[in-house]
Amino acid sequence: MNALTPLIIAKALDGLTARAEASAANIANASSRNYRPIRVDFEAKLRAAAEQGATAVTAVRHDTTAAAIPAYGTETRVDLELATASATSMRYAALVDVLGREMGLMRAALAGGR
């Protein structure tokens, strides 16, 4: 693992945490009149920053925006929000797993393979 990988994973985990919080808010407010769901985007900015180096990755911030008013009605689609929450949770777990495996390899290397 190079020095940039933990920075990218940490920023991705930050973005996914913000997305999970947004999904929770969207689900909680699904029946509120005139509520506009919020969205969190960070992947494109993180991908571009990864090509520029550690300083650019450190500077990445996630964008939280209100979603456009849907053409099909004014209520939040709870099924779509639950799907987003589920996908976010799976991505978060996968990144934590990768980070844990990398740390295990580092521990083994520092212990001299013992």
Side-chain angles (χ1 to χ4, degrees):
M1 173 162 64
N2 65 30
L4 189 58
T5 304
L7 290 174
I8 294 171
I9 291 174
K11 283 296 178 177
L13 290 173
D14 290 345
L16 291 170
T17 298
R19 184 173 290 152
E21 291 170 354
S23 291
N26 292 342
I27 292 167
N29 291 297
S31 62
S32 299
R33 289 186 59 116
N34 300 324
Y35 177 76
R36 289 180 59 187
I38 51 178
R39 302 285 176 246
V40 175
D41 295 312
F42 65 92
E43 288 94 341
K45 287 170 57 174
L46 185 57
R47 191 174 301 113
E51 295 174 3
Q52 298 173 5
T55 305
V57 170
T58 304
V60 170
R61 301 286 179 254
H62 58 270
D63 294 326
T64 303
T65 57
I69 297 173
Y72 51 80
T74 58
E75 292 184 9
T76 302
R77 295 265 318 262
V78 176
D79 59 336
L80 296 178
E81 292 300 330
L82 289 171
T84 299
S86 178
T88 300
S89 176
M90 287 188 295
R91 287 180 179 174
Y92 193 96
L95 283 175
V96 168
D97 184 56
V98 167
L99 194 56
R101 289 173 191 255
E102 291 295 332
M103 291 176 70
L105 289 172
M106 281 190 220
R107 271 193 305 274
L110 290 172
R114 291 180 252 144

